């Protein structure tokens, strides 16, 4: 069995859907980190069967909206003195900016390059967002 030491101070991003850990790792720039990080993929999980998780021995700013958008089941644990001092349960964010792009060729975001792509959550159960400019529908599930 693989054993990764607990961290003294930092962040653990837990309950990541299997296969999503590497994407989050790269998005957060952890592949260029100068501090200890561990990406654990396909680990056993009592809750989900299998999961990915990331341990970061440092306090970094996390875009919780982005993490919640990628996987709303993620839990972010803040660690101090080897103990969890804060547990943040994520969910799909109400608004998403600059994470996904509108695919509608007639949308203002296609013509104007400097406009930030904005989507609003319209159905939390199904993970459906709509473009704030043209009402194009985007499904979180792909």
């Amino acid at each position: 069995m693989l054993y990764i030491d607990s961290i003294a101070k930092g962040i653990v991003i837990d309950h990541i859907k299997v296969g999503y850990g590497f994407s989050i790792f790269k998005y957060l720039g952890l592949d260029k980190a100068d501090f200890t990080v561990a990406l654990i993929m396909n680990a056993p999980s009592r809750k989900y069967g299998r999961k990915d998780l990331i341990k970061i021995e440092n306090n970094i700013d996390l875009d919780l909206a982005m993490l919640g958008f990628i996987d709303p089941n993620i839990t972010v644990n803040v660690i101090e003195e080897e103990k969890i001092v804060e547990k943040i349960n994520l969910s799909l964010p109400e608004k998403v900016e600059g994470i996904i792009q509108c695919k509608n060729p007639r949308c203002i975001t296609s013509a104007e390059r400097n406009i930030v792509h904005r989507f609003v959550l319209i159905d939390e159960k199904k993970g459906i967002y709509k473009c704030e400019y043209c009402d194009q529908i985007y499904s979180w599930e792909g």
Side-chain angles (χ1 to χ4, degrees):
M1 173 149 168
L2 175 69
Y3 181 76
I4 306 285
D5 284 341
S6 63
I7 59 176
K9 182 180 172 84
I11 298 166
V12 176
I13 304 171
D14 201 357
H15 302 114
I16 303 169
K17 188 179 204 173
V18 169
Y20 285 38
F22 187 69
S23 299
I24 292 170
F25 191 85
K26 290 207 43 118
Y27 180 88
L28 294 174
L30 297 173
D31 52 332
K32 297 170 186 73
D34 62 353
F35 44 84
T36 304
V37 292
L39 167 60
I40 300 145
M41 301 172 73
N42 212 18
S45 167
R46 286 191 295 276
K47 199 171 182 181
Y48 298 109
R50 293 264 166 212
K51 67 179 178 181
D52 288 357
L53 66 141
I54 299 170
K55 291 184 172 192
I56 306 164
E57 190 139 32
N58 196 355
N59 282 325
I60 61 169
D61 286 333
L62 294 177
D63 182 343
L64 297 178
M66 181 278 300
L67 289 176
F69 179 74
I70 291 174
D71 183 352
N73 297 313
I74 286 175
T75 306
V76 175
N77 297 314
V78 179
I79 312 294
E80 285 182 21
E81 297 175 19
E82 295 188 12
K83 291 184 177 64
I84 297 172
V85 294
E86 185 179 1
K87 189 182 227 45
I88 305 165
N89 294 309
L90 301 186
S91 58
L92 285 174
E94 291 295 317
K95 252 190 183 155
V96 174
E97 286 190 11
I99 297 173
I100 49 176
Q101 295 187 343
C102 187
K103 293 175 176 54
N104 180 353
R106 292 184 300 282
C107 181
I108 187 80
T109 59
S110 294
E112 301 286 331
R113 296 285 173 228
N114 297 343
I115 294 180
V116 174
H117 293 258
R118 286 193 185 110
F119 286 80
V120 179
L121 183 63
I122 57 171
D123 187 332
E124 189 172 4
K125 294 218 184 320
K126 294 181 182 160
I128 297 175
Y129 286 82
K130 75 171 181 168
C131 175
E132 202 167 80
Y133 304 105
C134 73
D135 295 337
Q136 175 80 21
I137 298 296
Y138 179 92
S139 172
W140 173 77
E141 290 295 328

